[in-house]
Amino acid sequence: MGSYDVSDESPERRFRTLFISDVHLGARGSQADLLLDFLRYHDADTIYLVGDIVDGWALKSGWYWPQSHNDLVQKLLRKARKGAKVVYIPGNHDEFLRKYYGTHFGGIDVVENTVHTGADGKRYLVIHGDIFDLVVQNARWLAHLGDRAYDFAIRMNRLVNFFRRMFGVRYWSLSQWAKQKVKKAVNYIGAFEEALAAEARRHDADGVICGHIHYAVIRDEAGIRYMNCGDWVESCTAIVEHEDGQFEIITWADHMQKPAPVAQVAAKAA
């Protein structure tokens, strides 16, 4: 990839808070160029990086760091220097940063988790979520195997969608289809949401904002508002909080396309 313009043009939309997760910089499937484009048009007073921003697993297996990945890091650092509060909550793919909890570098705070207070006074636990994934915690070899399978699905998607574009057919995701149709995947997502809702309740919070499973959604779960940021591998989604305290999922699937709210998008058990 060539270099990307990272000049600080005025964003078209400004929010109270922006939540981004699962960018997977260093992985070939990362759509860092689209996130960089998204950040040119969107800004916020506070930006939460909700884990797996950098993919240490992928970098260990083979170095991959194109210019767009570097430009995205510079863009985030520039936003911090210009006054945005940026909070980084490491996930399992960037767990190497967990040894730096409580540190502050380049204007970015690194924390294990935090509680975000919305404009309406409600409290939201912000956490990546991998500690509630039994596969990641108890069978790391299986998690790595699943990660490789997901990468293979992404490559297959690109091949399939190359031919679909030739015939003018819209994008179709193999991994989305599998995780929405396969019973075990659906059960996994449901169990994950229940576990995160329970953790929010233990923190005396009104809701939880997380990442990890690459499944963007906002909904109520047993009286708790559950919000997942999605990812920047396939769905290219982020959660924003408006000045009135309302939350919205924005998708940025194409850099020429204006943002539009979506109900739910692709899933991945990272």
Side-chain angles (χ1 to χ4, degrees):
M1 293 184 184
S3 179
Y4 289 77
D5 177 16
V6 291
S7 60
D8 286 300
E9 58 272 56
S10 298
E12 290 185 352
R13 305 179 73 188
R14 185 174 187 88
F15 301 97
R16 185 172 186 267
T17 320
L18 172 62
F19 302 85
I20 298 167
S21 76
D22 297 275
V23 183
H24 291 273
L25 295 175
R28 294 183 182 276
S30 175
Q31 300 206 53
D33 51 345
L34 290 186
L35 178 53
L36 180 60
D37 187 69
F38 173 85
L39 291 173
R40 291 191 180 107
Y41 293 97
H42 302 80
D43 207 348
D45 299 328
T46 302
I47 301 173
Y48 290 98
L49 304 175
V50 195
D52 286 1
I53 305 303
V54 177
D55 195 327
W57 294 8
L59 290 172
K60 282 183 180 179
S61 63
W63 186 260
Y64 175 76
W65 195 268
Q67 186 62 45
S68 61
H69 293 203
N70 189 61
D71 289 344
L72 177 58
V73 172
Q74 293 300 318
K75 184 70 169 179
L76 291 169
L77 290 171
R78 186 174 288 109
K79 284 185 178 294
R81 290 197 299 270
K82 288 186 170 293
K85 178 182 179 182
V86 182
V87 180
Y88 195 137
I89 300 163
N92 52 307
H93 283 258
D94 45 17
E95 60 189 351
F96 60 90
L97 290 172
R98 288 177 167 167
K99 66 177 77 172
Y100 300 107
Y101 287 152
T103 62
H104 180 89
F105 65 92
I108 299 176
D109 295 309
V110 182
V111 300
E112 181 177 6
N113 58 64
T114 190
V115 173
H116 169 73
T117 301
D120 55 4
K122 291 185 177 180
R123 302 171 73 250
Y124 299 91
L125 174 65
V126 187
I127 186 170
H128 181 64
D130 62 289
I131 62 173
F132 299 96
D133 185 340
L134 293 178
V135 172
V136 171
Q137 294 302 310
N138 300 320
R140 289 180 62 85
W141 66 270
L142 187 58
H144 281 273
L145 182 62
D147 195 61
R148 290 179 180 272
Y150 181 74
D151 290 340
F152 175 75
I154 294 296
R155 290 194 294 270
M156 289 299 297
N157 280 344
R158 289 173 180 165
L159 179 61
V160 169
N161 285 288
F162 171 78
F163 291 104
R164 289 175 68 88
R165 284 194 301 271
M166 289 179 62
F167 292 97
V169 183
R170 63 180 298 179
Y171 178 85
W172 178 82
S173 169
L174 172 62
S175 60
Q176 279 190 47
W177 176 86
K179 291 179 180 180
Q180 291 176 3
K181 299 298 183 182
V182 177
K183 184 177 180 179
K184 285 187 178 180
V186 173
N187 290 343
Y188 168 84
I189 293 169
F192 181 83
E193 293 175 358
E194 291 173 5
L196 268 293
E199 182 67 8
R201 195 173 291 107
R202 283 191 288 272
H203 281 75
D204 195 28
D206 300 288
V208 60
I209 302 170
C210 61
H212 186 57
I213 62 171
H214 295 208
Y215 190 81
V217 69
I218 297 176
R219 66 161 161 257
D220 292 326
E221 177 64 46
I224 295 292
R225 176 58 59 91
Y226 170 87
M227 294 182 273
N228 195 299
C229 304
D231 71 283
W232 288 86
V233 177
E234 283 193 279
S235 57
C236 298
T237 55
I239 287 179
V240 298
E241 180 193 12
H242 295 271
E243 292 297 333
D244 62 1
Q246 294 297 310
F247 289 87
E248 175 189 3
I249 297 174
I250 292 179
T251 185
W252 195 254
D254 188 291
H255 71 280
M256 298 299 292
Q257 178 179 321
K258 294 299 181 183
V262 295
Q264 57 186 21
V265 290
K268 171 192 175 186

